Structures are given as structure tokens and as C-alpha cells.
Amino acid sequence: MSETFEKLKPHLDKSRAYQTALVLLNFDSSTLAPKEAVAFTAQSIGILSGEAYASLINPEVKELLAELCTEEEQEKLSFNEKAIVKELKKTFEDLELIPPEEYQAYQILMAKAAPVWEEAKETNNYALYAPVLEEIIAYSKKFAGYKQKEGQKLYDVLLDQFEEGFTMEILDDFFGKLCEALVPVVHEIRKKPDLISIDCLRKTYDIEIQKKLSRFMAEYIGFDFNRGVMAESAHPFTTNLHNHDVRITNHYYEDKLEDAIFSVIHEGGHGLYELGVSDDITLTPIGGGSSMGMHESQSRFYENCLGRSYEFWLPLFDKVKEFFPEQLNGVTVDEFYRAINYAAPSLIRTAADELTYSFHVMIRYEIEKMIFNGDVDVKDLPAIWNQKYEEYLGVVPENDAEGILQDMHWSGGMFGYFPSYALGSAIAAQLFHYMQKKMPVKKYLSEGNLAPIREFLRENIHQYGAAKKTQQLLMDTTGEEFNPDYYIEYLTDKYSKLYEL
Amino acid sequence: MSETFEKLKPHLDKSRAYQTALVLLNFDSSTLAPKEAVAFTAQSIGILSGEAYASLINPEVKELLAELCTEEEQEKLSFNEKAIVKELKKTFEDLELIPPEEYQAYQILMAKAAPVWEEAKETNNYALYAPVLEEIIAYSKKFAGYKQKEGQKLYDVLLDQFEEGFTMEILDDFFGKLCEALVPVVHEIRKKPDLISIDCLRKTYDIEIQKKLSRFMAEYIGFDFNRGVMAESAHPFTTNLHNHDVRITNHYYEDKLEDAIFSVIHEGGHGLYELGVSDDITLTPIGGGSSMGMHESQSRFYENCLGRSYEFWLPLFDKVKEFFPEQLNGVTVDEFYRAINYAAPSLIRTAADELTYSFHVMIRYEIEKMIFNGDVDVKDLPAIWNQKYEEYLGVVPENDAEGILQDMHWSGGMFGYFPSYALGSAIAAQLFHYMQKKMPVKKYLSEGNLAPIREFLRENIHQYGAAKKTQQLLMDTTGEEFNPDYYIEYLTDKYSKLYEL
């Protein structure tokens, strides 16, 4: 046992208490808080954020961390303690590298940028957004520059923030293979727009009943409502105070049954990850999921690999029919399965189908590379965006609101984040492939027995929280590091069959 | 402008930010949080409570307060700033008087006491509770002793915590008059148990529709859902982050229509108080209601003086019928008015009617006086309790669960708190009396025009938050200090008519 680590603990606990408060304040703002509350509540959020920062970024913690990184101290640390120290050191260094006055100016810019982006999107006015985006890019370049190691490319610095070890080299290979294998599939599918009908999903589905169905679906995949809740918000998300208080949200459209269903399975997948983290690390800096991509792998695994498989619906579809007996009268499980897998190139990432989704991500990745490795002019980005949509997906936005203005990420300075979405899907497919070699996954699905699948993920991935990083989790679980081939194989196989290619 | 006060501000802001987080965490625990969350979340709550304490109780604040209390500095302060300094000084001194190790031991006792009380109540086992209660009483006596001024009686110290300036002298007079005038009324009413029928309130009322009706009722009395929300909890309560985020809760029983209706009017009254506090003080230590009694006066004013008046229902009852057309078919507004004012001595305080409610409070007040002024044995309290119920209300608990174990207050060390409930009703009647001299209140009610009433309260009471204390608010509003006569007159008059005495 390390006495130095014991001295670090109160700092960690304090920081965690602030985080808990901030998580709840943010969750509440998105679900329940009255609309006029925001300006007043923001003052408290601002102060608590400052305190959260100061609870870790201070000379005492710096000294303790330096000591804990010595060989002598490292020997005294457990596996989890080492991971905590490593995690903390990274956060510390990242924040410390940025001069406080620049950090503050950046926070002010962030607060300003969100409403500007919102207005620009609403009024379809990229010109309004461009100067702010330019400023944000300048800051991102500057901050990445502070962290840049010798020989490291600037965009790799950004990528590393969200997915440790996933460089452009890995991503170029990934997206390159994806492009080569699947662009032809996408183009073939475009020729058969009427092969699959989605009429059964477009009737009128009472929203109160959809809420009950969503709860049922969450329970079906194993979301534990003794340790979690479900609420409603404009955009579905998952958050948690700790592993005994995990919160998923959903949204509902009367004429889009699949939306609520797959959102709740998706968020439920995120939720199961957080519910599965070990008790002994849940209140520590490694208490959350390992990375954005790893988290997304769990949500996509449940949403797509399981939730959009035929076998998943075999024991389940009749139950769904009990919620909507009239609307689903006469619909077969085969028809339903095909409807929920309907694919067509489209303009909006968040509404994209499983097949075309990663191309939306790839387009953003390519543009981010241009921004950070080259010197593209911000005012030219919409044209580049539109040209890439045409090239890869064969569709062109009619305006920037359904083009480059659709995502809020860049207005929040989140460059390097998008690839995580596609990595998540690919990691999910890799896990799915491996899992099927280890256990009869499809048989379990057909029997409505999801426990062994959940248990496999808990044992191999969830319990570790962020103590292991993505590549290590994949290596320890599947015996190899990230390998995009399974994803490409999975998509090619699935959509060739569905669309009779 | 005082530079010293400017130096105090960051401390106040920090303390407020912690309070905001704690308010939300507690609200969330009572409404939404999953049941297994509590043990883990408690760790964060504990740390944030400690930080909240330390943000005010520290040498820097002590020094600033001392300076701000000098004549020179006082002259520089505004009315609100003076009130903030006074409020803070009281909190500071109260907490500082208690040795930290005793405070901590007391907190541990508090954490232990709640579940013991709960189990004792559930299993009807006073003997289990008695030793803990004895310990709590001993602490309360000790802590009150620290604060006791020369010549001050111990119980007056406790009363003053919740209602500044309301001593036993005032309360003895109040309860004495109440007893004299109303015990005979209560006994007369007991002879006519069948005069009023409550059958119309005992049908089956769908809970989802009750929720909609509750929201409608809250809006009807002027609760602003742009700045407030309504949620569900085991026991209704009101809380707020600030004056732009006020939260009321309600609960629902299928066979008790009046319960949800009067709970939402009651909590709505509390809510209107907090919504009415001025923007410039809402985030300060004087940003909440003035006192427990003053707060209760607003909830009781809405619940009873308005909500249980005949005129209130004249424009409203037909609208209520639209929510429950079958159940209320054929019921007249007269029958409904009588049903919601049905009175009968009973055992449970929280379920008591308007007439007998204050006697429940008086019994607790008399017992607390015995505890703190005399040396009653804790094991004798149940017998004393039962004897007093028989004397004043003519009913005797069959067991301690429906007797002395019914309230949680004593297990939380809240001695001196109960009188606030009765004071609230009496203050409400005093305000009601005065208001009727100034404006045609009953005409407004008959017309469904509650705005002038709400505005009167906002102007005279709500806006000041805790900057003015109860007696000053009453003096400034009604031209006299607390006067229980109006309450006695109000009840005597109302129930003599209702029960044809």
C-alpha cells in the first residue's frame, strides 16, 4: 500500500463529488429543468466547474503525482491505482500545458459559439458561423501544438485525446478499406430503393405506449432499473453518477416506431457498460467507460449487431405486437426485420442507416485532416462537404443546414471526436465476430437469453472501466488489436443478403 | 458600496453553488434516482456538504463578518446587504458555538436515527426508538445550552431557530386562546359525524388524470411552469435552486381525490413564495422564504383560506368535472365544498382537517416544552401523548405507530419546529383578514381572477425573501404584529356555519 496514494485519495474524492453534482445538473438541464432556469443555474455550474478543476489541478496533486510516477512508488501500486495515476497525469498535463488565460478565453469562446452555431443552423447561414469556427480551429491548433510531441502530426494529437493510440495511419487504413469494399455496395443499393418497405414503421404509434415499450426493451436487454432510470430529452443520451445510478434518455416520434426502439437499445448499450463497471473503481477517475470509441462499440453492438439481427426479434416481435396490436397486425417478423434494416444514402448522420453511417463519419474525418494538416480556407468547407457527399454517397445537400451545419461537435471544439463513432461500429463487429466463435450467440438471441452475452461483455470489458485502454481490451478479449476486416465482412455479408446483391 | 462586502461575495457565491448542487441531489433522490443509488451518491453528498460548510465557516469569512458588523461598515451597506450579513452571522455563530467533534458525532447520530425511527414506526416498537431519542434530546439540550443567552429558557432557544422572536410567551398565548375557543367546537362537531358526506371524493380517480388535474390546478393558482416543474414523490414537498427553478412534488391516491388537489395547492403556495423572491437576492443567503412559519403561511393561505373557500370553487368546479365527468356527475359545488371541509378529530397530523390540525401541533408543542423545560422520562412520552390526544381531540391511538412514532421530526433533531405549522395557519388567517379589507378577495375568487391576490403577496411578502423577518413582514403588511385572533375567528366562523352550530 502506498501512503502517497492515500494522500491523493481525498483529492480524488472531492473531484468525484463535484463531477457527480455536475453530471446531475447537466442531466437535469436536459430532461426536467424549467426553460427559464438556465441563466441562474449556469452561475452555480460555472463555480462548481471551477472548483472541480481546482480540486485536481493544484500544486499538491502535482507533487503527489510526480512522486507516484517514480519507480519506487509504482511498485507499491495496484493495477487500478496505476491506471488512476496514469489517467490523472494525462488530464493534469493536458490542462497544465494550456496557459490559464488562454483556457479561460477559450471557455468564453465556447459559451459564445454554441448559440451562434444554433442560429446559423436554424437560419441556414454558414457565413454567420464561419468566423467563430475559424477562431475555434485556431485555438484547437494552438492547444494541440502545446501537446504535440516531436514527430507527431497535429491531427494525431487531437485523435489521441479521444482514442488513445488511434492515429491517422490506423484510421486511413480503416476508412480506405471501408471505402473500397462498401462504396460499391452503397451504389448497388441505390438502384433498389423499393426492395424493402418501411410502411409498417410509419403508422401512428401512441407516444405513451412507446414509452412503455422503451422501458420493456431496456429491461429486455438487461438494463437494471434498480440502478438506473430512463427519462425523456430532445436528443437521447446516457450519463451516470456512478455504477448504481445510470441514466438513459429517449425521444419519441409518433410516426417513427424504430426511432425510439433503436435509441433505447443504443443508450441501453451505453448504460450496460456503466452498470458493469466494478464497484471498487466506480467513484474513481477510471470509473467510466474506457474511451469514446469503446463506449460507442457497446451501444452499437446492442443497437446493430444484436438489435438489428433477425434472431433478436424472433422471441421478441410478438411481444412488441402486444404494445401495438392494430398497427402491427399482419406484419411478419421477416418484414419487420427487413424494414429496420432499410438502407439508403442520406444527408443527416444521426438518421443514417447502419450501412451508410460510417461514410458520414469518414467525410468529417477527411475534412478534419484537411483542416489540421493543411491550410484549407474555412469559407471553402461547405463546398468540400457537398462534393464529398456526392462522391461517397451520391447525395448533395440542398443547403448548409442539412450539410456542414448539422453537427454541433465543431462548435464545441470537438475535433478528432467523429472517428470514434465509426470505430465503435467496427469494434462492435470485431467483438461480435469473436463472441460467436466462443458461444452460440444467435441461439441465445433466438431464445431471448441475453444474459450470457451481457456477462461476456461485463467480464471482458465493462468491469475494467477505463483501467484498460481500447487496444488492450481488444487484445485481451479477442486476441488481436483493432481489426476493421470483421466490420467490413459483417456489413458486406448482411447487406448483400438483404438487398440480394 | 462596501469593499469588505465585495470580498465576502465570492464566499457567498461558492456556498450558493454547493447549496444548488445539494438541493438538486436531494430533490433527485426523492423523485427520480434509482433505489440502489443512495449508498454511492451519499458519499458525494457528504463531501459537498462538508465543502458547503467550509465555504462559509472559515477564518476569512469570520474576519469579514466582524468587520461588516462595525458601525462604519454597516453604514455603507444596503438593506439587503445588511440582511445578508445578519443572516450569515447567525448561521456562523450557531455553527461555531458547537465544537466540531460534537457536531460530527451528532451528524453520525442523525444518520443512524432515521432508519431506527423508520423501523420502530413500521414495527410499532417505541422501545427500539427511545434510547436514540434520548440521545438526540441530550444533544439538543447541549447545543441549545451553547446558544442560550442569560435569562433565556432552553426551549425558547430552539423555537428561535425556526421562528425568530416567537417565544413560549407568544405561543402559550396562541395555543391557550385556540384551546379555549375551539376545543368546544371540536367536541360539538364530533356529535355530527354524518352531517357532511365525503362520498364524492371516494370514488376511483385515475392517477394519470389526477396528474393532469394537478398541473391544471398549479397553473390556476399562478404557478409558472416556465420557471418551475412538478414531479412525483412519496411525500409532497417544495424545493428550489433559485427563483427561476422552483420544484413542487405531489403524490396520488386513486380513492382520495382531495389529497392530490390540496397537496398541489399547498405546495403551489410554497412555490409561489419562492417564485416571487426578487432576482437580486435569489442567489444569496436571504434568497429563500423568511422562516418556516412564514413559508407555511403561504402554503396554508392557498390551501385553506383560498382553496377550501366556497368562492374559490365557483368558477373552477365545472372545470374539475371535465377531468372526471363520470365520478363527479351530479355533484354540486355546494356538496363538493362541504366534502372538502369535512372535519373530524383523528390521530394522524398530516391527514388532519383544517379545524383540528393545530391541536396536533399543540400536543407536540406541550410535550417538547416538558422535555426541554422539565425532566420528563423519555419512556413516559407515549402515555403522555395518548393522554393529550384524548383530552384535546377525544381520540386515543391504539398503538405508538399511529401515536408518538408518526412524525420523523424528532428523529432528525427538529425540536421547536412543529409550532411553525400552526403559526403558518394563523399567519395565513391574519393576512386573509387584512387582505379582505384591502380588496374584494371573494369577488376575485368567484371570477377566477387570482392575479391581484398573488400580486399582493408578492409585493408585500415574497419579494423580500428572508430580508425581513416574520414580525416585520406582518407589521409592514397588516399594520400589526402576529395576532392569533383572526385565525380563531376564521375557524370558529367557518365551522359554526358548516356544522350548523
Side-chain angles (χ1 to χ4, degrees):
Chain A
M1 212 188 71
S2 154
E3 275 177 39
T4 316
F5 192 83
E6 289 303 306
K7 284 186 206 157
L8 183 66
K9 265 190 179 169
H11 297 278
L12 300 180
D13 290 343
K14 205 185 271 192
S15 156
R16 161 54 55 174
Y18 292 126
Q19 289 306 331
T20 300
L22 289 166
V23 163
L24 185 59
L25 279 158
N26 287 323
F27 169 82
D28 184 78
S29 296
S30 304
T31 53
L32 186 67
K35 66 176 177 187
E36 290 186 23
V38 58
F40 286 79
T41 306
Q43 298 183 37
S44 293
I45 292 179
I47 291 170
L48 289 166
S49 303
E51 293 292 308
Y53 181 91
S55 70
L56 286 184
I57 308 304
N58 62 54
E60 215 180 322
V61 171
K62 188 177 179 173
E63 205 172 299
L64 290 168
L65 278 176
E67 206 173 318
L68 285 164
C69 288
T70 60
E71 212 172 304
E72 195 193 334
E73 282 291 330
Q74 283 280 309
E75 274 171 20
K76 296 184 201 162
L77 299 180
S78 71
F79 176 76
N80 284 335
E81 286 167 349
K82 271 184 203 154
I84 290 168
V85 168
K86 196 180 159 208
E87 186 79 21
L88 199 57
K89 197 155 177 288
K90 192 172 185 237
T91 313
F92 199 97
E93 286 173 351
D94 282 358
L95 285 169
E96 217 198 17
L97 283 170
I98 299 170
E101 64 281 5
E102 284 183 17
Y103 183 80
Q104 209 169 347
Y106 181 68
Q107 294 302 325
I108 291 166
L109 175 62
M110 286 298 97
K112 193 180 76 176
V116 170
W117 164 73
E118 228 166 285
E119 194 189 333
K121 186 183 172 189
E122 260 170 44
T123 57
N124 182 33
N125 184 354
Y126 181 77
L128 180 73
Y129 180 48
V132 179
L133 182 58
E134 205 161 347
E135 262 192 278
I136 299 173
I137 290 171
Y139 268 109
S140 296
K141 283 186 175 174
K142 197 193 272 186
F143 291 174
Y146 292 142
K147 298 180 196 169
Q148 199 171 15
K149 301 203 177 82
E150 217 182 295
Q152 194 183 22
K153 292 207 176 97
L154 206 59
Y155 188 48
D156 275 341
V157 177
L158 296 171
L159 289 170
D160 196 66
Q161 288 183 329
F162 299 106
E163 210 58 59
E164 199 179 300
F166 280 76
T167 57
M168 279 185 282
E169 200 186 331
I170 294 174
L171 289 170
D172 283 345
D173 172 65
F174 169 36
F175 286 119
K177 283 177 173 166
L178 202 67
C179 228
E180 194 185 342
L182 291 169
V183 167
V185 176
V186 170
H187 287 299
E188 284 305 306
I189 279 174
R190 295 193 66 208
K191 295 177 194 156
K192 300 176 173 184
D194 302 323
L195 186 71
I196 290 176
S197 161
I198 56 167
D199 288 353
C200 67
L201 305 171
R202 292 285 169 278
K203 294 173 183 169
T204 305
Y205 294 91
D206 179 81
I207 284 175
E208 288 308 315
I209 301 176
Q210 283 198 51
K211 287 183 189 172
K212 286 178 187 152
L213 172 59
S214 294
R215 194 182 160 98
F216 168 80
M217 292 298 309
E219 278 173 338
Y220 186 81
I221 65 166
F223 187 81
D224 179 358
F225 279 98
N226 288 320
R227 294 165 58 200
V229 299
M230 187 166 77
E232 197 174 346
S233 62
H235 305 286
F237 66 93
T238 302
T239 188
N240 67 319
L241 274 65
H242 41 68
N243 71 348
H244 279 66
D245 190 337
V246 179
R247 298 171 182 225
I248 57 177
T249 74
N250 205 355
H251 63 173
Y252 306 93
Y253 300 103
E254 220 176 30
D255 61 345
K256 283 186 193 152
L257 178 62
E258 80 282 15
D259 208 294
I261 289 180
F262 289 98
S263 288
V264 76
I265 303 178
H266 180 97
E267 301 307 329
H270 282 303
L272 288 172
Y273 196 166
E274 296 295 343
L275 285 168
V277 170
S278 287
D279 283 358
D280 55 344
I281 58 168
T282 186
L283 292 173
T284 75
I286 56 166
S290 181
S291 69
M292 297 313 312
M294 209 61 219
H295 234 303
E296 197 67 11
S297 81
Q298 299 307 290
S299 56
R300 295 284 172 188
F301 180 84
Y302 273 92
E303 179 192 350
N304 291 334
C305 302
L306 303 189
R308 283 195 166 88
S309 75
Y310 181 67
E311 292 78 9
F312 182 80
W313 291 100
L314 281 179
L316 195 53
F317 187 58
D318 278 348
K319 288 180 189 156
V320 176
K321 273 186 163 178
E322 287 172 22
F323 286 88
F324 293 110
E326 267 180 56
Q327 293 89 331
L328 295 175
N329 182 27
V331 178
T332 66
V333 65
D334 288 67
E335 283 164 350
F336 183 75
Y337 165 71
R338 291 165 65 81
I340 59 174
N341 282 296
Y342 173 83
S346 63
L347 294 166
I348 307 296
R349 176 183 59 84
T350 56
D353 57 77
E354 189 183 358
L355 174 66
T356 59
Y357 185 85
S358 289
F359 289 101
H360 293 263
V361 172
M362 187 179 71
I363 290 167
R364 287 150 179 80
Y365 168 70
E366 290 186 355
I367 294 175
E368 289 185 353
K369 277 207 298 185
M370 291 170 75
I371 293 173
F372 288 94
N373 292 344
D375 54 353
V376 64
D377 197 323
V378 167
K379 76 172 184 332
D380 298 333
L381 292 179
I384 298 172
W385 180 285
N386 295 353
Q387 176 266 320
K388 287 190 181 287
Y389 263 82
E390 173 141 44
E391 182 185 343
Y392 296 125
L393 291 167
V395 291
V396 186
E398 284 191 19
N399 56 58
D400 293 331
E402 58 179 31
I404 194 166
L405 288 171
Q406 68 181 269
D407 299 305
M408 65 167 298
H409 300 60
W410 290 345
S411 74
M414 289 163 80
F415 295 100
Y417 183 102
F418 281 119
S420 304
Y421 290 124
L423 284 175
S425 295
I427 293 168
Q430 183 172 346
L431 291 170
F432 193 45
H433 174 87
Y434 180 78
M435 204 188 279
Q436 287 181 86
K437 290 200 300 187
K438 300 294 284 185
M439 61 169 80
V441 175
K442 294 194 170 171
K443 179 169 164 284
Y444 288 151
L445 290 176
S446 308
E447 293 165 359
N449 176 18
L450 274 70
I453 297 168
R454 196 167 59 245
E455 194 51 32
F456 177 91
L457 293 171
R458 206 189 63 73
E459 272 298 303
N460 288 282
I461 294 168
H462 301 175
Q463 64 160 321
Y464 297 108
K468 293 187 183 181
K469 295 297 162 199
T470 303
Q471 292 288 33
Q472 194 189 342
L473 284 167
L474 285 174
M475 180 58 94
D476 292 353
T477 306
T478 70
E480 60 178 325
E481 291 204 331
F482 176 67
N483 181 346
D485 294 346
Y486 304 111
Y487 180 47
I488 288 156
E489 187 184 302
Y490 162 84
L491 283 179
T492 312
D493 185 53
K494 178 170 182 177
Y495 283 91
S496 300
K497 281 182 191 148
L498 268 163
Y499 277 86
E500 303 162 10
L501 305 179
Chain B
M1 212 187 74
S2 154
E3 274 177 38
T4 316
F5 192 84
E6 291 302 308
K7 282 185 207 156
L8 183 66
K9 266 188 176 169
H11 297 277
L12 300 181
D13 290 344
K14 206 185 268 189
S15 157
R16 160 57 52 175
Y18 293 126
Q19 289 306 333
T20 300
L22 289 166
V23 163
L24 185 60
L25 280 158
N26 287 322
F27 169 83
D28 184 78
S29 296
S30 304
T31 53
L32 187 66
K35 65 177 180 186
E36 291 186 24
V38 59
F40 287 80
T41 306
Q43 299 184 36
S44 293
I45 292 180
I47 291 169
L48 289 167
S49 302
E51 293 292 308
Y53 181 92
S55 69
L56 286 184
I57 309 303
N58 63 54
E60 214 179 323
V61 171
K62 189 178 180 173
E63 206 172 299
L64 290 169
L65 278 176
E67 206 173 319
L68 285 164
C69 289
T70 60
E71 213 172 304
E72 197 193 331
E73 283 291 331
Q74 283 281 308
E75 274 172 22
K76 293 185 204 159
L77 300 180
S78 71
F79 175 78
N80 283 335
E81 287 167 351
K82 272 184 202 154
I84 289 167
V85 168
K86 197 182 158 205
E87 187 79 21
L88 200 57
K89 197 157 177 285
K90 195 173 182 234
T91 312
F92 199 95
E93 286 173 353
D94 282 359
L95 284 170
E96 216 199 17
L97 282 170
I98 299 170
E101 63 282 7
E102 286 183 16
Y103 182 81
Q104 208 170 346
Y106 181 69
Q107 295 302 327
I108 291 164
L109 175 61
M110 287 298 96
K112 193 180 74 177
V116 171
W117 164 75
E118 227 166 286
E119 194 189 334
K121 186 183 170 186
E122 260 171 42
T123 57
N124 183 32
N125 183 355
Y126 182 77
L128 180 72
Y129 181 46
V132 179
L133 181 58
E134 205 163 344
E135 262 193 278
I136 298 172
I137 290 171
Y139 267 110
S140 296
K141 284 186 174 174
K142 197 193 272 186
F143 290 174
Y146 292 142
K147 297 180 197 171
Q148 200 171 14
K149 301 205 174 80
E150 215 181 298
Q152 195 184 22
K153 294 207 176 97
L154 206 59
Y155 188 45
D156 276 341
V157 177
L158 296 171
L159 289 171
D160 197 65
Q161 287 182 329
F162 298 108
E163 210 57 58
E164 197 180 302
F166 281 76
T167 58
M168 278 185 282
E169 202 185 330
I170 294 174
L171 289 170
D172 284 345
D173 173 65
F174 169 36
F175 285 120
K177 284 178 172 165
L178 202 68
C179 229
E180 195 184 341
L182 291 170
V183 167
V185 176
V186 170
H187 288 300
E188 283 305 305
I189 279 173
R190 295 193 66 210
K191 296 175 193 158
K192 300 178 174 184
D194 300 324
L195 186 71
I196 290 175
S197 161
I198 55 167
D199 288 355
C200 69
L201 304 171
R202 293 286 169 277
K203 295 172 181 168
T204 304
Y205 294 92
D206 180 82
I207 283 175
E208 288 308 314
I209 301 177
Q210 283 197 51
K211 286 184 190 173
K212 285 178 187 150
L213 172 59
S214 294
R215 192 180 161 98
F216 169 79
M217 292 297 311
E219 278 174 340
Y220 186 79
I221 65 166
F223 187 82
D224 180 358
F225 279 98
N226 288 320
R227 294 165 57 201
V229 299
M230 188 165 78
E232 196 174 348
S233 61
H235 304 286
F237 67 92
T238 302
T239 188
N240 67 319
L241 275 65
H242 41 68
N243 71 348
H244 280 66
D245 189 337
V246 178
R247 298 171 182 226
I248 58 177
T249 74
N250 206 355
H251 62 173
Y252 306 93
Y253 300 104
E254 222 176 29
D255 62 344
K256 283 185 195 155
L257 178 61
E258 80 282 14
D259 208 295
I261 289 179
F262 288 98
S263 288
V264 77
I265 303 178
H266 181 97
E267 301 308 330
H270 282 304
L272 288 173
Y273 196 166
E274 296 295 343
L275 285 169
V277 170
S278 287
D279 282 359
D280 54 345
I281 57 169
T282 187
L283 292 173
T284 76
I286 55 166
S290 181
S291 69
M292 296 314 309
M294 209 60 219
H295 234 303
E296 198 67 12
S297 80
Q298 299 306 292
S299 56
R300 294 283 173 188
F301 180 85
Y302 274 92
E303 179 191 351
N304 291 334
C305 301
L306 303 188
R308 284 195 166 87
S309 75
Y310 181 66
E311 292 77 10
F312 182 79
W313 292 101
L314 281 179
L316 196 53
F317 187 57
D318 278 347
K319 286 179 190 157
V320 176
K321 274 186 162 178
E322 286 172 21
F323 286 88
F324 293 111
E326 269 180 54
Q327 293 89 332
L328 295 175
N329 182 28
V331 179
T332 66
V333 65
D334 287 67
E335 284 164 349
F336 183 75
Y337 165 70
R338 293 165 64 81
I340 59 175
N341 282 295
Y342 173 82
S346 61
L347 293 167
I348 306 297
R349 178 182 59 83
T350 55
D353 57 76
E354 190 183 358
L355 174 65
T356 59
Y357 184 84
S358 288
F359 289 101
H360 293 264
V361 172
M362 188 179 71
I363 290 166
R364 287 152 178 79
Y365 169 68
E366 290 185 355
I367 293 175
E368 289 186 354
K369 276 208 299 185
M370 293 170 74
I371 293 173
F372 288 94
N373 292 344
D375 53 354
V376 63
D377 197 324
V378 166
K379 77 171 182 336
D380 298 333
L381 291 180
I384 298 172
W385 180 284
N386 295 354
Q387 176 266 319
K388 286 190 181 288
Y389 263 81
E390 173 140 46
E391 182 186 342
Y392 296 124
L393 290 168
V395 291
V396 186
E398 284 191 19
N399 55 59
D400 293 332
E402 57 179 28
I404 193 166
L405 288 171
Q406 69 182 267
D407 299 305
M408 64 165 299
H409 299 61
W410 290 346
S411 74
M414 288 162 81
F415 295 101
Y417 184 100
F418 280 119
S420 304
Y421 290 126
L423 284 175
S425 295
I427 293 168
Q430 182 172 345
L431 291 170
F432 193 43
H433 174 86
Y434 180 78
M435 204 186 280
Q436 287 181 85
K437 291 202 299 185
K438 300 295 283 184
M439 60 169 79
V441 175
K442 294 194 171 173
K443 180 170 164 282
Y444 288 151
L445 290 176
S446 308
E447 293 165 358
N449 177 17
L450 275 71
I453 298 168
R454 194 167 60 244
E455 194 50 32
F456 177 92
L457 294 170
R458 207 190 63 74
E459 272 298 303
N460 288 282
I461 295 168
H462 300 173
Q463 65 161 318
Y464 298 109
K468 293 186 183 184
K469 295 297 162 197
T470 303
Q471 292 289 33
Q472 193 188 341
L473 285 166
L474 285 173
M475 179 58 93
D476 292 353
T477 306
T478 71
E480 59 178 327
E481 291 204 330
F482 176 67
N483 182 346
D485 294 346
Y486 303 112
Y487 181 45
I488 288 157
E489 190 184 300
Y490 162 83
L491 284 180
T492 312
D493 186 51
K494 178 169 180 177
Y495 282 91
S496 300
K497 281 182 190 149
L498 269 163
Y499 277 87
E500 302 163 11
L501 304 180

